[in-house]
Amino acid sequence: MLIDCDPGLDDAIALLAAAQLTDLVGITTVNGNVGIDHTTHNALAVTQIADLDVPVHRGAARPLIAPTIDAAYVHGPTGLGSVELPELSRSIASDDAVGFICDTARAVDDLHLVAVGPLTNIALALRADPDLPSRLGGFTIMGGGAHAGNVTAVAEFNVWADPEAAAIVFREFPMTTMVGLDVTHRVLMRPADRDRLRAAGGPAAGLAADLLDFAVARAGEIAGRDGAPIHDASAVMAVVRPDLFRGEEHPVDVELAGTLTRGMTVVDQRPRGRAGEDAGRANARVLFDADEAAVVNSIVDAVIALDSA
Ligand code: RIB
Ligand code: CA
């Protein structure tokens, strides 16, 4: 697995789970939740705290066309809540995330590319190597939503942050597994999960507990929820345990020009036979539901196991 991310509280938990559950061959960073300096620093800090032998390659500092934004109101000014990070003893393997994605897709058989931030690096990788999709074993994103938005009424943050990149990705990958808000809002991590991580006591579990502390408190303030959707870790679990998720294949495209709807993933759920001329080919497997308890317990178990790996 190669994860392209914008750590980010949930990105960080996704990296920890992936490190335990998959052969995580690399991490690429992108501007998103916070600026590229912070997202890259945070990715390095996660690998250092959890003692992961995984290279970090720095990527795009801004979207293709859209203005640079952030989600610091959700993730805190540094991107990892109020977690005290250690002095970094690690540095990036390169500042060429796009080259690393393309080279790794060529070198590693059955590579699963998982993008859990804005899709800028992925769109640039498609421009560098139009055959990228055929070199991959699978492609999954955390992003979008058929019936949900978070940063606007209809747009999810990763797609909204760089909608031109998202449009390129949906149009040029023959099949994308879309782990959107429809399913991630049904998979919440709660104080009891944080307590289980805290009680385990290892460095990765302790970091995840600290991240969850902040995420659960902020989710309560913003949405009045009793838990936090750990969006990106759900995307990793959709790759590792697809049996825990329910989805459907539909045509998906991204609105770029709408005044109210820019950044919306338009999911065409009309019955195929009656969709008429304008229905495109199904280019996405859109996930709608999951076994919440099984997904959350798998994430917690994986992070705890990482400390004894
Ligand atoms: O909308 C949720 C997504 O936006 C997650 O990937 C989160 O980390 C932010 O990037
Ligand atoms: Ca993210």
Side-chain angles (χ1 to χ4, degrees), residues 91-131:
S91 51
I92 55 173
S94 88
D95 60 2
D96 183 11
V98 170
F100 177 71
I101 291 168
C102 294
D103 293 347
T104 307
R106 282 189 173 88
V108 173
D109 283 343
D110 200 26
L111 179 73
H112 204 118
L113 178 58
V114 179
V116 296
L119 294 164
T120 316
N121 290 337
I122 312 303
L124 292 170
L126 283 166
R127 286 292 173 269
D129 180 6
D131 293 329

Side-chain angles (χ1 to χ4, degrees), residues 205-287:
L207 171 61
D210 291 344
L211 296 167
L212 261 182
D213 254 347
F214 190 94
V216 168
R218 194 50 60 95
E221 289 160 18
I222 295 173
R225 288 197 179 97
D226 69 338
I230 307 301
H231 308 277
D232 299 341
S234 292
V236 167
M237 290 310 300
V239 177
V240 175
R241 289 292 308 274
D243 58 303
L244 297 180
F245 294 80
R246 182 183 64 78
E248 300 163 6
E249 292 190 0
H250 293 296
V252 177
D253 202 346
V254 178
E255 176 58 56
L256 300 177
T259 305
L260 300 176
T261 55
R262 176 166 161 84
M264 177 179 181
T265 47
V266 180
V267 180
D268 188 345
Q269 292 180 262
R270 292 174 293 173
R272 285 280 66 78
R274 295 181 36 231
E277 317 297 300
D278 68 339
R281 181 185 51 75
N283 60 335
R285 174 166 162 67
V286 181
L287 302 190

Side-chain angles (χ1 to χ4, degrees), residues 6 8-11 32-33 71 75 116-118 142 150 156-158 181 231-232:
D6 61 332
L9 299 163
D10 54 328
D11 307 69
N33 285 316
H75 297 266
V116 296
M142 189 281 136
N150 53 11
E156 175 279 328
F157 177 82
N158 287 335
L181 298 177
H231 308 277
D232 299 341

Side-chain angles (χ1 to χ4, degrees), residues 4-70:
D4 185 73
C5 56
D6 61 332
L9 299 163
D10 54 328
D11 307 69
I13 294 175
L15 293 175
L16 296 173
Q20 174 61 22
L21 296 171
T22 77
D23 176 10
L24 184 59
V25 298
I27 298 166
T28 52
T29 60
V30 65
N31 165 78
N33 285 316
V34 287
I36 189 67
D37 290 343
H38 276 306
T39 60
T40 305
H41 182 107
N42 294 339
L44 287 166
V46 169
T47 65
Q48 179 173 316
I49 293 166
D51 192 22
L52 306 181
D53 182 16
V54 180
V56 174
H57 295 259
R58 179 189 169 106
R62 60 186 182 282
L64 298 184
I65 294 176
T68 301
I69 44 68
D70 69 51

